[in-house]
Amino acid sequence: MDAYDEGSHAWHGRTGPGGPGGPASPSAPPASAPAPAGQDGPRPPAGTPPPSDAPPLSGVPSSSDTPPTPGAPSPPDADPPTPPPEPRTGVAALSLPYRIAAAVALGTVAVVVCAHLGMTFLHVAPANTVSKKHAGTIEDWIYPEFEQNWKLFAPNPLQQNISVQVRAEVLTPDGGVRTTGWYDLSAEDGRAIDGNLLPSHTQQNELRRAWDFFVATHDGEDRPVGMRGTLAESYLRRIMVMRLGRSDAAGPGGVVDQIQVRSRTTEVPPPEWSEEKVSTKPVYRTLPWWPVPQDEARGGIG
């Protein structure tokens, strides 16, 4: 350098790039403004990004405003999605009018059930003030559909075996008449029930109830008492003819003309430890011959 050199202006002169009148050098950073009063230390050079605690620049979207990419995992601090509400079931799924109707129906059923249980209890319970005062109402409610009795727990149960038997007079194809032997229908029902886990109602009760119905509606001379007696006789006769037809009592070409029914009653022998003495001799009750109408004899009831 010579005496005319002035720092960086030596090569370019005063009008060169870096001189007072020339353009600023592209490589030289602009001079920093003096630090305001009260701040120590030099300012950071120009172009240095602001510190992390500085507010974001206006107009620049932040990461929280950016919509999530489909399929991308959600950030850890995001709230979990709210599950959809469970669908309603039962009465709650009905509309308000139907719910009201269901509540009224359930309430009515509950009242009827409680009333029935109360009436039944008063009917079977020993006589008391309430049952005596409302005896008419209780009987109207119970009879005939809900009749209660204590026959299952009777202190003096039936001590007899009663079997119902029948025989027939048959018109043979050659014009003759023959009489069959006695068919023990009660024994047949007993064999059908014995060992059967699910015996039919017919096998258990048809013949027994028919005979009880007949005895209750006839006098000691086997004469019917009122219309129920006539009905009981017709009912028993139809059962006898039907049972004889199942056993083929008439034979090939034969026709049942008359039937006769009898009962055989024997006392149940007492247990070995009992001192009671009873007769084991059977007692028979034989009914008169009943003519069989032609429609019944030829299968009109089957």
Side-chain angles (χ1 to χ4, degrees):
M1 290 186 185
D2 54 15
Y4 295 98
D5 291 338
E6 293 182 10
S8 60
H9 306 306
W11 295 99
H12 308 287
R14 294 195 172 266
T15 59
S25 173
S27 61
S32 301
Q39 291 187 357
D40 298 335
R43 289 176 55 86
T48 304
S52 59
D53 57 350
L57 298 178
S58 176
V60 179
S62 62
S63 60
S64 61
D65 297 335
T66 305
T69 304
S74 58
D77 56 348
D79 295 334
T82 304
E86 296 183 359
R88 295 181 177 181
T89 58
V91 179
L94 302 175
S95 59
L96 181 60
Y98 285 100
R99 278 185 284 176
I100 295 176
V104 172
L106 292 176
T108 303
V109 171
V111 171
V112 172
V113 170
C114 292
H116 176 70
L117 294 177
M119 292 290 187
T120 305
F121 173 77
L122 292 175
H123 176 68
V124 301
N128 53 73
T129 304
V130 178
S131 62
K132 291 179 180 179
K133 182 178 180 180
H134 303 283
T137 304
I138 295 173
E139 290 182 359
D140 293 341
W141 180 275
I142 294 296
Y143 294 105
E145 290 82 4
F146 307 113
E147 180 182 1
Q148 304 289 322
N149 57 65
W150 295 96
K151 290 183 179 179
L152 179 62
F153 309 100
N156 186 24
L158 294 176
Q159 299 179 352
Q160 297 175 332
N161 287 326
I162 301 176
S163 60
V164 180
Q165 302 172 352
V166 63
R167 66 178 178 175
E169 282 189 354
V170 179
L171 300 179
T172 60
D174 56 1
V177 178
R178 66 179 179 88
T179 303
T180 65
W182 290 100
Y183 288 83
D184 194 339
L185 304 183
S186 298
E188 293 178 3
D189 287 348
R191 287 191 295 269
I193 294 172
D194 189 19
N196 188 353
L197 297 179
L198 299 173
S200 68
H201 180 74
T202 301
Q203 295 167 341
Q204 298 179 82
N205 300 316
E206 181 186 57
L207 184 62
R208 178 180 61 85
R209 295 298 298 270
W211 180 253
D212 291 344
F213 185 28
F214 177 86
V215 172
T217 56
H218 285 69
D219 59 16
E221 302 296 329
D222 298 326
R223 291 174 299 189
V225 179
M227 296 183 60
R228 287 175 57 85
T230 304
L231 178 62
E233 183 175 319
S234 176
Y235 179 57
L236 183 61
R237 185 188 69 243
R238 287 173 176 264
I239 292 177
M240 298 295 108
V241 175
M242 182 176 59
R243 295 290 187 93
L244 289 171
R246 291 178 182 174
S247 302
D248 196 20
V255 178
V256 176
D257 184 50
Q258 296 185 96
I259 64 169
Q260 188 177 33
V261 181
R262 75 176 183 182
S263 65
R264 181 179 184 271
T265 303
T266 56
E267 299 290 335
V268 176
E272 297 178 356
W273 47 264
S274 175
E275 297 180 356
E276 184 181 1
K277 303 297 182 180
V278 296
S279 174
T280 58
K281 183 179 180 179
V283 177
Y284 293 92
R285 178 179 179 178
T286 305
L287 306 182
W289 286 93
W290 291 339
V292 178
Q294 292 184 1
D295 57 343
E296 294 183 14
R298 300 183 183 277
I301 62 172

